[in-house]
Amino acid sequence: MADHVHLEYVVEGDNFVSAGSATESVKACLKGMGVKPEDVRRVAISMYEGEINMVIHANGGKATADIYMDKVVITLADTGKGIADIELAMKPGYSTATDDVRSLGFGAGMGLPNMKKYADECLIESTVGVGTKVTLVTKFSA
Amino acid sequence: MSELKRLNTVTLDPSKCKGCVTCMKRCPTEAIRVRDGKASVIYDKCIGCGECVRLCPHHAKITSYDKLDVINSYQYKIALPAPSFYGQFNNLDDVNYVLSGLKRLGFDEVFEVGRGAELNTLATQIILNKDIIPKPIISTACPAVYELISARFANLKQHLLPVLPPVDISAKLARERAYKKGYTDEQIGVFFISPCPAKVYALKSGFGVKKPYVDGVLSSSEVYMKLLPVMKLIDYPDNMSKMGVTGLSWASSGGEAAASMRSKYLAADGIENVIHILESVENGTLNDIEFIELNACTGGCVGGVLNVENPFVAKARLRQLRIKFPQIANSLADVGKPADFYLCEEPVESDGFVTPNRAEAFTRLMEIQTMYQTLPQKDCGLCGAPSCRAFCEDLVDGRIPKDSVCPQLNKG
């Protein structure tokens, strides 16, 4: 048997009804294996931010979660327009979301900052015109 | 705890159960299985929401509650009618008919749960102002929601409102009054007239209290049927009510939250909506909300399965009734109790929140996941579990034999 659980999800673009379902599935697994509530919450917040980013900005994408006994590695990969200036995108409050999206309560410019804040490791790789891949590692306290 | 739940939530009448999968597919916590042609409940997973009772086309689900006769075992009988109870009566223009009727039915005293609701509201306001509980604060008044949080959203336990539910506050005050009249605990019987089976379990298991203040939980519909003929004989009821719009509003969804006097509140009802809101709180997307009221039943307590009337009709009737009421009829000063009188006597997260052993739970997850990959993932229900994942859990947890095979795969 493998040493970890691998999960894959398709995240649909512009679908605000299903947005968050990948996060909810991962949360359910972590809770089931007794991961501390604070850690589940950190995963929930950072992964949800990533998932909603793909819904809003990138016409969806693919999410994976690799759950180990002591950590979870989440990737969120899309083939959207890419992030031109990652440093600027990391600034709290900076957003390129449209007014329509903002009127739904999204696009506050806290997505990437929150991912960095709540995950232990946050790697953002992006090429304009090709897509973005976010890798989030969250370690579980004993 | 499981046995207490079995006795005090819902059981099955095997003679009526046809083995259809309606309840199994719709149970929000996947607590029902249909094996050997009959449905059964896994009580460790059941939150007592009553959804299966509501949905069963063959009326095979039996809710547990105390029969009205039990009041006769007590010398001094106190009735606690829930605010939703008044919504059951057609053409009721004065709640005093209900209260007087209860006395004629054999109760020595009636104490409206709406009063406890108003005192709960006032105590909640103090907590909201004190900033001691992280926002959003989540109400603990709906026992099915509390069970859901303890089973699936342990993350949110620090958000739970530590104020006693209205029925406990009412029971506590009514009991004290009876002591003053010289009755002892053994002589006093306190009975809640409940809209739902979840409250039966919560009160018998003593949520938030050291020892239950309520001796029995009666069903709204049974008391209604006995009360109707009695009420018809009343020409002029005694003026007994001491409740305002605030207390009455607790009967339907949004009433409790609106009464909290905060503008940043949210009220959700219906178990699927409740789950969705709890997921959102976990995801950190509702941080601008201060107070969250959640009701497992559609419409709130008027939607409880022990009621007789449709929740929307009951809500409309209550709207008519409220015209006669003051905004609020109770105050903390009048009662004269210290603030902690209204607070839960035990930490609200004391039961239910169990943390599994990580290594064992991780192995379990891997086994479930590995097996899940081999299944059709159609969630057809043929195997007697509501989903392919639930089938894997049953197998790994030993609820079905290790050599059980998915019927879809077995077909070849």
Side-chain angles (χ1 to χ4, degrees):
Chain A
M1 198 187 279
D3 67 333
H4 72 286
V5 173
H6 177 77
L7 303 164
E8 282 185 20
Y9 308 92
V10 173
V11 178
E12 280 182 57
D14 293 324
N15 185 340
F16 291 92
V17 177
S18 67
S21 55
T23 305
E24 275 154 31
S25 164
V26 172
K27 272 197 297 190
C29 287
L30 299 188
K31 287 179 195 174
M33 60 180 265
V35 172
K36 287 250 165 67
E38 307 79 63
D39 293 333
V40 176
R41 202 175 162 84
R42 291 196 299 131
V43 174
I45 295 173
S46 54
M47 182 172 177
Y48 182 77
E49 293 286 5
E51 193 181 347
I52 208 80
N53 272 352
M54 294 205 295
V55 175
I56 297 170
H57 297 288
N59 200 25
K62 205 178 105 177
T64 66
D66 290 286
I67 304 172
Y68 298 82
M69 182 119 119
D70 56 349
K71 68 177 177 186
V72 58
V73 180
I74 290 158
T75 68
L76 302 135
D78 65 59
T79 52
K81 52 186 180 277
I83 305 169
D85 186 340
I86 293 179
E87 208 177 311
L88 184 62
M90 292 297 291
K91 260 177 67 177
Y94 176 82
S95 176
T96 57
T98 60
D99 287 346
D100 282 354
V101 167
R102 283 170 203 251
S103 70
L104 286 168
F106 300 107
M110 292 310 289
L112 295 183
N114 268 343
M115 285 195 275
K116 195 174 163 63
K117 180 176 165 190
Y118 289 101
D120 292 312
E121 290 169 38
C122 171
L123 175 69
I124 302 168
E125 301 158 278
S126 189
T127 310
V128 173
V130 178
T132 302
K133 184 182 177 191
V134 176
T135 307
L136 303 166
V137 181
T138 307
K139 292 171 187 148
F140 308 142
S141 46
Chain B
M1 211 166 77
S2 202
E3 176 63 7
L4 192 66
K5 229 178 216 179
R6 188 182 70 75
L7 292 172
N8 294 297
T9 48
V10 57
T11 47
L12 191 87
D13 179 348
S15 68
K16 286 184 178 169
C17 177
K18 304 257 190 245
C20 79
V21 296
T22 308
C23 59
M24 180 182 90
K25 291 296 284 182
R26 299 280 293 275
C27 171
T29 55
E30 296 196 323
I32 300 178
R33 300 294 180 269
V34 178
R35 293 195 173 120
D36 303 322
K38 302 287 174 196
S40 61
V41 181
I42 303 168
Y43 286 96
D44 285 336
K45 292 176 183 276
C46 174
I47 58 168
C49 68
E51 199 69 9
C52 56
V53 181
R54 193 177 286 121
L55 291 165
C56 179
H58 310 292
H59 312 290
K61 296 287 191 298
I62 308 161
T63 47
S64 315
Y65 52 82
D66 296 306
K67 299 284 176 213
L68 187 56
D69 304 340
V70 299
I71 71 170
N72 297 323
S73 328
Y74 296 86
Q75 198 182 335
Y76 192 74
K77 311 161 187 69
I78 304 169
L80 309 177
S84 54
F85 190 53
Y86 311 113
Q88 310 306 309
F89 301 88
N90 198 7
N91 294 323
L92 180 72
D93 59 0
D94 184 350
V95 298
N96 285 308
Y97 280 99
V98 174
L99 307 181
S100 298
L102 286 169
K103 278 206 155 177
R104 292 196 186 195
L105 213 54
F107 288 99
D108 300 288
E109 166 139 43
V110 181
F111 197 104
E112 295 152 285
V113 173
R115 297 184 65 181
E118 296 194 339
L119 295 165
N120 173 300
T121 289
L122 296 166
T124 300
Q125 285 172 8
I126 294 175
I127 294 210
L128 277 163
N129 289 331
K130 268 192 178 162
D131 244 3
I132 37 176
I133 311 274
K135 308 269 170 38
I137 292 179
I138 302 170
S139 162
T140 42
C142 173
V145 169
Y146 171 77
E147 289 292 321
L148 176 72
I149 293 174
S150 65
R152 281 176 54 183
F153 296 93
N155 286 352
L156 303 178
K157 61 184 176 187
Q158 76 271 24
H159 293 270
L160 294 173
L161 179 70
V163 177
L164 284 174
V167 54
D168 295 284
I169 295 176
S170 299
K172 237 173 139 170
L173 288 169
R175 208 168 255 285
E176 285 201 358
R177 274 207 211 170
Y179 295 149
K180 282 191 186 139
K181 289 187 176 169
Y183 294 99
T184 62
D185 262 330
E186 292 69 41
Q187 295 169 315
I188 304 167
V190 181
F191 300 92
F192 178 47
I193 302 169
S194 176
C196 71
K199 218 61 187 166
V200 179
Y201 173 68
L203 290 167
K204 302 254 166 162
S205 65
F207 163 77
V209 295
K210 288 204 175 78
K211 184 173 156 282
Y213 291 99
V214 172
D215 299 288
V217 187
L218 311 171
S219 109
S220 171
S221 54
E222 194 200 353
V223 178
Y224 170 88
M225 296 305 288
K226 301 254 165 70
L227 198 54
L228 265 192
V230 178
M231 280 169 63
K232 285 193 178 132
L233 304 173
I234 301 171
D235 292 326
Y236 298 101
D238 299 330
N239 194 5
M240 293 159 66
S241 177
K242 198 171 184 301
M243 171 180 64
V245 172
T246 306
L248 191 65
S249 302
W250 274 64
S252 45
S253 175
E256 178 195 359
S260 72
M261 307 283 179
R262 293 287 172 137
S263 54
K264 291 178 179 172
Y265 72 80
L266 178 156
D269 55 295
I271 194 73
E272 295 299 333
N273 296 325
V274 166
I275 291 171
H276 195 75
I277 292 298
L278 293 171
E279 296 277 5
S280 299
V281 177
E282 266 189 351
N283 295 350
T285 60
L286 290 175
N287 294 338
D288 53 338
I289 300 286
E290 291 187 310
F291 185 78
I292 298 182
E293 173 194 333
L294 300 170
N295 288 288
C297 295
T298 299
C301 296
V302 285
V305 292
L306 295 181
N307 286 326
V308 279
E309 191 50 90
N310 170 292
F312 301 96
V313 174
K315 192 175 178 181
R317 286 178 183 161
L318 290 166
R319 202 177 300 127
Q320 290 292 313
L321 263 179
R322 52 189 281 169
I323 298 165
K324 293 202 166 180
F325 285 95
Q327 188 57 37
I328 189 162
N330 294 275
S331 78
L332 297 178
D334 284 352
V335 180
K337 296 284 181 194
D340 61 0
F341 179 85
Y342 303 99
L343 300 183
C344 292
E345 299 162 1
E346 290 183 325
V348 284
E349 75 272 23
S350 58
D351 323 337
F353 295 97
V354 269
T355 311
N357 172 291
R358 176 84 57 82
E360 282 170 24
F362 182 68
T363 310
R364 174 180 177 270
L365 179 68
M366 294 233 287
E367 283 180 48
I368 289 169
Q369 196 57 34
T370 308
M371 189 181 306
Y372 181 69
Q373 297 304 332
T374 68
L375 296 180
Q377 302 180 14
K378 288 180 182 173
D379 297 343
C380 70
L382 271 178
C383 64
S387 64
C388 293
R389 189 168 290 280
F391 173 77
C392 299
E393 289 175 6
D394 285 353
L395 215 148
V396 171
D397 295 342
R399 277 189 289 271
I400 50 173
K402 285 274 178 219
D403 56 357
S404 304
V405 181
C406 160
Q408 295 249 17
L409 295 178
N410 217 10
K411 270 190 317 199

